[in-house]
Amino acid sequence: MKFFIDTADIAEIRDLAATGMVDGVTTNPSLVAKTGRNFLEAIAEICEVVPGPVSAEVTATDFATMLTEGRKLAKIASNIAVKVPLTWDGLKACKALSDDGIMVNVTLCFSPSQALLAAKAGASFISPFVGRLDDISIDGMDLIAEIRQIYDNYETLATEILVASIRHPRHVVDSAKMGADVATLPPNVLRALANHPLTDKGLDAFLKDWAKTGQSIL
Ligand code: G3P
């Protein structure tokens, strides 16, 4: 499973990229706005730090302007994935951009029918928002299972399932069990994946017992 980091905060990206666990980055207009930075400059810097796919979202809602914006974003770096919303204009832009050989991440997906349309439009990635479905008492992981089932029925559908709106490690584990291709994690969720109280307790006990030996490896 690939791990993308869901943030535009370059300090967080640099810190987590150093772990070797970061395979890409996803951003969206809200995440970029939180940084207070110039969008194009921030994306260019992220592309230099992380060689994997970096999602940068268009902000137009009409096909023609989405296409113009998407082509401009794609010129920032070779690892740009242009993000478009799951609307008919977004699907048309996805088809045109993917026909240009540009990676496209279709975002704001909340149903299996939307995911099927995105794959038919040539999306590189589909971003189903599991956390926002959970927020309205709909099990977001059911959507991942349905998309996986649909995509696996057709060899011609090459779109990768990029699980987004992740709230906690259980979303990551369940996505991996279902065979999702990518999980895009808020920085705190990636860090939480390694946490377990018994690990801390066991290491503490090992080190206390070692200290009693008075020995040193070096
Ligand atoms: O990549 C999409 C993600 O940023 C949305 O997450 O927490 O706003 O639902 P959230």
Side-chain angles (χ1 to χ4, degrees):
M1 174 180 250
K2 286 175 272 189
F3 285 169
F4 290 5
I5 295 299
D6 194 37
T7 184
D9 182 323
I10 194 67
E12 287 276 40
I13 293 169
R14 288 185 187 279
D15 180 54
L16 291 168
T19 67
M21 293 291 173
V22 176
D23 302 303
V25 177
T26 53
T27 72
N28 62 43
S30 301
L31 292 173
V32 171
K34 276 173 70 175
T35 69
R37 292 190 60 190
N38 173 279
F39 174 39
L40 300 178
E41 290 174 6
I43 294 296
E45 187 174 357
I46 293 169
C47 288
E48 289 173 2
V49 174
V50 176
V54 174
S55 290
E57 189 162 341
V58 300
T59 54
T61 54
D62 66 290
F63 165 67
T65 316
M66 279 179 173
L67 201 50
T68 305
E69 289 184 350
R71 285 171 172 156
K72 180 175 182 179
L73 292 174
K75 287 178 180 163
I76 293 172
S78 60
N79 56 325
I80 284 283
V82 175
K83 233 184 187 183
V84 298
L86 216 151
T87 61
W88 278 112
D89 282 87
L91 291 167
K92 284 169 59 182
C94 176
K95 184 73 174 70
L97 291 167
S98 60
D99 286 348
D100 285 355
I102 294 169
M103 279 192 287
V104 181
N105 178 359
V106 179
T107 190
L108 288 168
C109 172
F110 295 97
S111 76
S113 59
Q114 286 180 320
L116 182 52
L117 288 171
K120 286 179 65 66
S124 310
F125 304 103
I126 182 65
S127 290
F129 279 31
V130 296
R132 294 193 189 185
L133 286 169
D134 288 358
D135 291 345
I136 60 169
S137 302
I138 295 173
D139 188 337
M141 296 317 298
D142 287 346
L143 174 58
I144 304 306
E146 285 190 290
I147 297 171
R148 183 74 283 161
Q149 180 185 0
I150 291 168
Y151 282 12
D152 288 352
N153 287 338
Y154 303 96
E155 287 181 5
T156 54
L157 298 183
T159 302
E160 291 189 73
I161 302 172
L162 193 168
V163 183
S165 186
I166 283 178
R167 297 278 196 277
H168 45 69
R170 192 73 238 174
H171 276 152
V172 183
V173 170
D174 289 344
S175 297
K177 288 168 72 175
M178 291 177 185
D181 303 282
V182 188
T184 190
L185 297 81
N188 63 308
V189 175
L190 176 55
R191 294 190 177 100
L193 292 179
N195 298 344
H196 197 291
L198 290 181
T199 303
D200 298 340
K201 184 179 178 184
L203 181 58
D204 186 52
F206 287 162
L207 296 179
K208 281 179 179 165
D209 289 343
W210 175 252
K212 292 171 188 169
T213 72
Q215 297 180 64
S216 171
I217 294 174
L218 298 180

